[in-house]
PDB file of all heavy atoms in Angstrom:
ATOM      1  N   LEU A 397     219.646  -4.496 192.418  1.00  0.00           N
ATOM      2  CA  LEU A 397     218.366  -4.057 191.864  1.00  0.00           C
ATOM      3  C   LEU A 397     217.672  -5.252 191.243  1.00  0.00           C
ATOM      4  O   LEU A 397     218.323  -6.247 190.911  1.00  0.00           O
ATOM      5  CB  LEU A 397     218.591  -3.026 190.745  1.00  0.00           C
ATOM      6  CG  LEU A 397     219.023  -1.610 191.108  1.00  0.00           C
ATOM      7  CD1 LEU A 397     219.359  -0.846 189.826  1.00  0.00           C
ATOM      8  CD2 LEU A 397     217.919  -0.880 191.872  1.00  0.00           C
ATOM      9  N   ILE A 398     216.366  -5.119 191.044  1.00  0.00           N
ATOM     10  CA  ILE A 398     215.618  -6.153 190.343  1.00  0.00           C
ATOM     11  C   ILE A 398     214.919  -5.489 189.165  1.00  0.00           C
ATOM     12  O   ILE A 398     214.300  -4.432 189.329  1.00  0.00           O
ATOM     13  CB  ILE A 398     214.598  -6.814 191.300  1.00  0.00           C
ATOM     14  CG1 ILE A 398     215.339  -7.527 192.438  1.00  0.00           C
ATOM     15  CG2 ILE A 398     213.690  -7.788 190.553  1.00  0.00           C
ATOM     16  CD1 ILE A 398     214.440  -8.005 193.568  1.00  0.00           C
ATOM     17  N   LEU A 399     215.055  -6.090 187.991  1.00  0.00           N
ATOM     18  CA  LEU A 399     214.435  -5.516 186.787  1.00  0.00           C
ATOM     19  C   LEU A 399     213.247  -6.378 186.372  1.00  0.00           C
ATOM     20  O   LEU A 399     213.362  -7.602 186.264  1.00  0.00           O
ATOM     21  CB  LEU A 399     215.471  -5.449 185.662  1.00  0.00           C
ATOM     22  CG  LEU A 399     215.049  -4.805 184.338  1.00  0.00           C
ATOM     23  CD1 LEU A 399     216.254  -4.172 183.648  1.00  0.00           C
ATOM     24  CD2 LEU A 399     214.362  -5.770 183.385  1.00  0.00           C
ATOM     25  N   THR A 400     212.120  -5.733 186.137  1.00  0.00           N
ATOM     26  CA  THR A 400     210.907  -6.444 185.708  1.00  0.00           C
ATOM     27  C   THR A 400     210.095  -5.534 184.780  1.00  0.00           C
ATOM     28  O   THR A 400     210.333  -4.328 184.744  1.00  0.00           O
ATOM     29  CB  THR A 400     209.987  -6.810 186.907  1.00  0.00           C
ATOM     30  OG1 THR A 400     209.248  -5.635 187.315  1.00  0.00           O
ATOM     31  CG2 THR A 400     210.757  -7.327 188.109  1.00  0.00           C
ATOM     32  N   PRO A 401     209.105  -6.101 184.086  1.00  0.00           N
ATOM     33  CA  PRO A 401     208.142  -5.215 183.426  1.00  0.00           C
ATOM     34  C   PRO A 401     207.300  -4.538 184.512  1.00  0.00           C
ATOM     35  O   PRO A 401     207.231  -5.038 185.636  1.00  0.00           O
ATOM     36  CB  PRO A 401     207.274  -6.165 182.601  1.00  0.00           C
ATOM     37  CG  PRO A 401     207.884  -7.525 182.722  1.00  0.00           C
ATOM     38  CD  PRO A 401     208.805  -7.522 183.882  1.00  0.00           C
ATOM     39  N   VAL A 402     206.662  -3.425 184.176  1.00  0.00           N
ATOM     40  CA  VAL A 402     205.727  -2.795 185.119  1.00  0.00           C
ATOM     41  C   VAL A 402     204.376  -3.491 185.050  1.00  0.00           C
ATOM     42  O   VAL A 402     203.728  -3.739 186.058  1.00  0.00           O
ATOM     43  CB  VAL A 402     205.555  -1.284 184.825  1.00  0.00           C
ATOM     44  CG1 VAL A 402     204.541  -0.664 185.763  1.00  0.00           C
ATOM     45  CG2 VAL A 402     206.892  -0.569 184.923  1.00  0.00           C
ATOM     46  N   ALA A 403     203.958  -3.780 183.831  1.00  0.00           N
ATOM     47  CA  ALA A 403     202.651  -4.410 183.615  1.00  0.00           C
ATOM     48  C   ALA A 403     202.802  -5.460 182.523  1.00  0.00           C
ATOM     49  O   ALA A 403     203.681  -5.334 181.669  1.00  0.00           O
ATOM     50  CB  ALA A 403     201.639  -3.351 183.198  1.00  0.00           C
ATOM     51  N   PRO A 404     201.960  -6.494 182.555  1.00  0.00           N
ATOM     52  CA  PRO A 404     202.103  -7.573 181.561  1.00  0.00           C
ATOM     53  C   PRO A 404     201.782  -7.139 180.138  1.00  0.00           C
ATOM     54  O   PRO A 404     202.202  -7.786 179.181  1.00  0.00           O
ATOM     55  CB  PRO A 404     201.104  -8.643 182.031  1.00  0.00           C
ATOM     56  CG  PRO A 404     200.514  -8.171 183.304  1.00  0.00           C
ATOM     57  CD  PRO A 404     200.930  -6.760 183.561  1.00  0.00           C
ATOM     58  N   THR A 405     201.013  -6.052 179.977  1.00  0.00           N
ATOM     59  CA  THR A 405     200.638  -5.565 178.643  1.00  0.00           C
ATOM     60  C   THR A 405     200.711  -4.039 178.642  1.00  0.00           C
ATOM     61  O   THR A 405     200.681  -3.430 179.699  1.00  0.00           O
ATOM     62  CB  THR A 405     199.170  -5.932 178.286  1.00  0.00           C
ATOM     63  OG1 THR A 405     198.293  -5.255 179.207  1.00  0.00           O
ATOM     64  CG2 THR A 405     198.907  -7.425 178.349  1.00  0.00           C
ATOM     65  N   PRO A 406     200.765  -3.417 177.468  1.00  0.00           N
ATOM     66  CA  PRO A 406     200.576  -1.956 177.419  1.00  0.00           C
ATOM     67  C   PRO A 406     199.112  -1.621 177.771  1.00  0.00           C
ATOM     68  O   PRO A 406     198.312  -2.524 178.034  1.00  0.00           O
ATOM     69  CB  PRO A 406     200.898  -1.600 175.967  1.00  0.00           C
ATOM     70  CG  PRO A 406     201.599  -2.802 175.397  1.00  0.00           C
ATOM     71  CD  PRO A 406     201.073  -3.981 176.155  1.00  0.00           C
ATOM     72  N   ALA A 407     198.782  -0.348 177.743  1.00  0.00           N
ATOM     73  CA  ALA A 407     197.431   0.095 178.132  1.00  0.00           C
ATOM     74  C   ALA A 407     196.359  -0.664 177.357  1.00  0.00           C
ATOM     75  O   ALA A 407     196.468  -0.844 176.146  1.00  0.00           O
ATOM     76  CB  ALA A 407     197.302   1.590 177.874  1.00  0.00           C
ATOM     77  N   PHE A 408     195.330  -1.103 178.075  1.00  0.00           N
ATOM     78  CA  PHE A 408     194.224  -1.782 177.391  1.00  0.00           C
ATOM     79  C   PHE A 408     193.140  -0.755 177.042  1.00  0.00           C
ATOM     80  O   PHE A 408     193.238   0.424 177.386  1.00  0.00           O
ATOM     81  CB  PHE A 408     193.676  -2.942 178.227  1.00  0.00           C
ATOM     82  CG  PHE A 408     193.526  -2.660 179.705  1.00  0.00           C
ATOM     83  CD1 PHE A 408     192.344  -2.145 180.211  1.00  0.00           C
ATOM     84  CD2 PHE A 408     194.577  -2.912 180.599  1.00  0.00           C
ATOM     85  CE1 PHE A 408     192.196  -1.892 181.564  1.00  0.00           C
ATOM     86  CE2 PHE A 408     194.440  -2.653 181.962  1.00  0.00           C
ATOM     87  CZ  PHE A 408     193.238  -2.138 182.443  1.00  0.00           C
ATOM     88  N   ARG A 409     192.121  -1.234 176.336  1.00  0.00           N
ATOM     89  CA  ARG A 409     191.094  -0.296 175.853  1.00  0.00           C
ATOM     90  C   ARG A 409     190.121   0.054 176.961  1.00  0.00           C
ATOM     91  O   ARG A 409     189.851  -0.764 177.851  1.00  0.00           O
ATOM     92  CB  ARG A 409     190.353  -0.892 174.663  1.00  0.00           C
ATOM     93  CG  ARG A 409     191.251  -1.106 173.468  1.00  0.00           C
ATOM     94  CD  ARG A 409     190.501  -1.552 172.244  1.00  0.00           C
ATOM     95  NE  ARG A 409     190.207  -0.468 171.306  1.00  0.00           N
ATOM     96  CZ  ARG A 409     191.130   0.206 170.627  1.00  0.00           C
ATOM     97  NH1 ARG A 409     192.391  -0.058 170.767  1.00  0.00           N
ATOM     98  NH2 ARG A 409     190.775   1.161 169.790  1.00  0.00           N
TER      99      ARG A 409
END
Side-chain angles (χ1 to χ4, degrees):
L397 286 172
I398 296 170
L399 183 151
T400 78
V402 177
T405 64
F408 42 90
R409 296 186 99 66

